[in-house]
Amino acid sequence: MKAELSDLDRRLLNDFQQDFPLSSTPYADMARSLGVTEEEVLVRLHELKQAGAISRVGAVVRPNTVGVSTLAAIAVPPEKLEAVAAIVSGYAEVNHNYEREHRMNLWFVATAPDAARLHTVLDEITIRSGYEVLSFPLVEDYHIDLGFDLRWN
Amino acid sequence: MELNIIKHSTATSPRPPVDEADRRLLAAIQHGLPLTPRPYAEIGAQLGVSEEQVIARLAYLKEAGVIRRFGVVVRHHELGYASNAMVVWDVPEEQVTELGRCIADFDFITLCYRRPRRLPQWRYNLYCMIHGKNREEVLAHLEWMVNHCGLQTLPHEVLFSRRRFKQRGAIYTLPAETDGC
């Protein structure tokens, strides 16, 4: 992916992580500031999305303002990890699910419309996997999300 | 003492109001804006509101802090930032806020949250995520941060990610639509 990025791609990826135009023709506005056509912007954004470099053009919502979310973890014996991970990933409410290097080795984020549904999901995972799910909901957030400054060198 | 200074806190400020129309709007864009010339008009047509209403409401949600960031959401891993570690710290309660803010200031940090301990299994109450191109870069970032914020004596663990089973944006669909899951 990285080797194929053009200058236009790099600017599309880095310069519009915040303050995407809220105008009726946002892609045309971007194109104007980049000195290319609207068509080029749309085609490249579509291709970058297809390639997985972009997850979307859209909103990053503050945690727990719309819906309720938590970070949860399970200590799973290594030989059971794939099976338990598949159970966890199978829930539409789970948006991140990672193996991490620790005895507590499976970490996931679950978001549901309300607390009742979130608890149901965590309880079901406990029952179906046979391992205790520890939930660590957000207490205080110290980070201001300005996007991620990509460095190409 | 410096650690007792209370600055502006994002988490303790009141929750901004989000109504049903806002929920529908955020659900309509949860997979991303359409990549077409008039994306807000398309979203409006789906919801039965005007393009101007969509734009005005998104601007309001941004202003109110419900939307923290509006734009291109990149996937770090695919762009060469292949290594990430969640670092968890056991911090005395009275120092969490100050240290959390110090950590959150670095540009290689993408998240920094206080979370509850779960004793006896889990003693850690401050979490941050460090991204880098490789393991060495992540560890160098960590060392720099430890020295800068004075974290040398705090118990901590570094949990590098190994496998990614699933990653996508959160889904904010309405309760009725998730009943079948």
Side-chain angles (χ1 to χ4, degrees), chain A residues 73-127:
Chain A
I74 316 180
V76 185
E79 69 277 11
K80 300 273 177 62
L81 187 64
E82 290 208 23
V84 175
I87 291 172
V88 170
S89 293
Y91 284 87
E93 288 83 355
V94 170
N95 43 295
H96 291 255
N97 185 20
Y98 276 80
E99 178 188 3
R100 294 194 174 279
E101 296 174 3
H102 195 275
R103 190 185 69 82
M104 199 79 82
N105 52 355
L106 191 64
W107 290 82
F108 61 94
V109 175
T111 303
D114 53 58
R117 176 64 197 161
L118 186 64
H119 289 141
T120 301
V121 168
L122 299 184
D123 288 348
E124 280 183 22
I125 291 172
T126 300
I127 292 163

Side-chain angles (χ1 to χ4, degrees), chain B residues 19-173:
Chain B
D19 64 21
E20 274 313 298
D22 295 331
R23 287 173 192 275
R24 277 195 293 277
L25 173 57
L26 291 168
I29 64 166
Q30 67 195 350
H31 298 296
L33 282 186
L35 295 173
T36 51
R38 301 282 294 274
Y40 304 115
E42 268 184 53
I43 297 293
Q46 268 178 47
L47 298 171
V49 298
S50 70
E51 181 184 40
E52 292 73 23
Q53 283 173 298
V54 169
I55 291 173
R57 205 57 194 170
L58 287 172
Y60 162 79
L61 290 170
K62 243 182 99 175
E63 184 63 31
V66 173
I67 294 177
R68 302 181 69 167
R69 182 159 74 75
F70 191 74
V72 174
V73 182
V74 302
R75 303 182 88 198
H76 305 127
H77 188 90
E78 281 71 6
L79 290 165
Y81 290 82
S83 196
N84 79 76
M86 183 174 77
V87 186
V88 294
W89 309 83
D90 179 0
V91 183
E93 295 304 322
E94 66 278 11
Q95 290 182 30
V96 182
T97 301
E98 185 70 20
L99 294 180
R101 287 182 184 145
C102 187
I103 290 171
D105 241 12
F106 290 94
D107 61 3
F108 49 77
I109 296 285
T110 51
L111 295 172
C112 185
Y113 292 153
R114 177 182 194 165
R115 299 184 184 279
R117 296 184 166 91
R118 295 289 182 221
L119 297 171
Q121 298 103 312
W122 193 255
R123 67 194 286 197
Y124 304 104
N125 59 343
L126 183 62
Y127 291 61
C128 68
M129 193 72 72
I130 304 179
H131 287 266
K133 293 190 169 141
N134 51 52
R135 209 177 169 95
E136 292 68 36
E137 188 177 278
V138 169
L139 291 172
H141 287 331
L142 174 61
E143 192 187 342
W144 172 255
M145 196 179 89
V146 163
N147 290 328
H148 180 83
C149 297
L151 309 171
Q152 292 88 344
T153 59
L154 292 177
H156 71 278
E157 291 195 80
V158 182
L159 285 75
F160 274 99
S161 69
R162 198 174 274 156
R163 259 185 297 176
R164 181 175 63 184
F165 294 112
K166 187 173 186 180
Q167 183 196 15
R168 61 159 169 70
I171 303 291
Y172 303 103
T173 37

